Amino acid sequence: MSLKAQIDAYNVQKEAKLPADVLALMNTTNEELIAKHIRDNALQVGQKVENFSLVNHRGNILELAELLTKGPAIISFYRGGWCPYCNLELKALNDYLPQFSAHNARLIAVSPQLPDETLSTAQKNELKFDVLSDVSNTVANQFGLLFTLDERIQSLYTGFGIDFEHYYGDKSYKLPLPATYVINQESIITYAFISEDYTLRAEPEAVLNALQVENV
């Protein structure tokens, strides 16, 4: 089943479960964020990515430049382990690890979660790739993906029991847009999926196709 099909199925469940006014608020704030066109200022295909290093869920430091010595890198930016869309995406990417590895590509996921929460996300989803903590969104900002969650949604999520200070160590409510990149060994972006709509995510098959094109 494609990731889109899984997300569509989840959306049906969500619409059946949540009150109409809550769904309306989610849709309204989502449309308002889309209208800001944040992704237009994010890093795009053909641009170079500056080196960075972050701590993974095992407590080890990973450096992009080191990963690229062995092959291309796939970077998935996600909001957090509390986000059902993020979990669906991470698990879908995880299923494609053998195909990615066949192209010597290394997959990493990045969120502003604290290390303990990053570990929880990796364990909960049984992820076999590195999940990195971008505390304070330094790398997300470098990629031009950063936005502040609407105050109405902040209140809504708090009502759902999502404690941002617990997950991120602060209450800035700053998050990265969902984004997936393929970066070649020269640090150049060869594929980019960026969306202000948090319900849309890159298909693993599209990421794999980008790797195959690069190797032609």
Side-chain angles (χ1 to χ4, degrees):
M1 185 184 295
S2 69
L3 177 55
K4 183 182 184 303
Q6 294 178 58
I7 289 175
D8 287 345
Y10 172 77
N11 284 335
V12 171
Q13 296 175 1
K14 183 177 77 172
E15 289 173 8
K17 179 180 179 181
L18 294 178
D21 61 332
V22 171
L23 291 170
L25 176 60
M26 288 179 162
N27 291 334
T28 296
T29 55
N30 197 30
E31 289 170 2
E32 289 173 357
L33 182 61
I34 293 168
K36 292 181 179 179
H37 299 288
I38 296 171
R39 67 176 181 175
D40 293 348
N41 295 316
L43 292 184
Q44 307 287 343
V45 170
Q47 292 186 279
K48 186 169 185 176
V49 176
E50 296 298 322
N51 188 36
F52 63 82
S53 60
L54 293 172
V55 175
N56 71 3
H57 63 285
R58 302 182 190 89
N60 301 319
I61 296 176
L62 264 69
E63 186 177 11
L64 177 62
E66 183 178 351
L67 297 183
L68 294 178
T69 62
K70 302 171 184 177
I74 305 164
I75 305 178
S76 177
F77 288 89
Y78 71 103
R79 304 193 300 170
W82 54 268
C83 169
Y85 296 95
C86 299
N87 290 323
L88 287 172
E89 178 186 22
L90 293 173
K91 287 187 282 190
L93 289 169
N94 194 66
D95 290 342
Y96 269 71
L97 279 181
Q99 292 96 313
F100 296 155
S101 296
H103 295 278
N104 297 316
R106 181 80 170 269
L107 170 64
I108 59 175
V110 178
S111 88
Q113 289 186 131
L114 296 171
D116 284 351
E117 291 306 313
T118 298
L119 175 61
S120 295
T121 297
Q123 291 177 335
K124 177 177 67 175
N125 293 304
E126 299 181 338
L127 303 179
K128 305 300 181 185
F129 56 88
D130 288 292
V131 187
L132 311 183
S133 290
D134 181 25
V135 178
S136 299
N137 285 294
T138 302
V139 176
N141 190 46
Q142 174 183 323
F143 275 73
L145 300 171
L146 210 55
F147 76 100
T148 302
L149 200 64
D150 187 283
E151 289 184 0
R152 292 165 291 175
I153 295 298
Q154 293 177 25
S155 298
L156 184 66
Y157 284 176
T158 298
F160 288 163
I162 300 170
D163 184 344
F164 269 63
E165 191 164 13
H166 171 79
Y167 282 102
Y168 305 110
D170 62 35
K171 286 193 174 182
S172 69
Y173 294 98
K174 292 185 181 298
L175 294 172
L177 295 178
T180 302
Y181 290 93
V182 174
I183 302 169
N184 69 18
Q185 290 187 271
E186 287 72 46
S187 299
I188 303 299
I189 297 169
T190 58
Y191 170 87
F193 176 95
I194 311 153
S195 178
E196 292 96 351
D197 185 344
Y198 68 96
T199 71
L200 301 179
R201 305 299 169 110
E203 281 290 341
E205 188 69 27
V207 176
L208 179 60
N209 289 340
L211 292 171
Q212 292 171 335
V213 168
E214 187 172 324
N215 289 337
V216 170

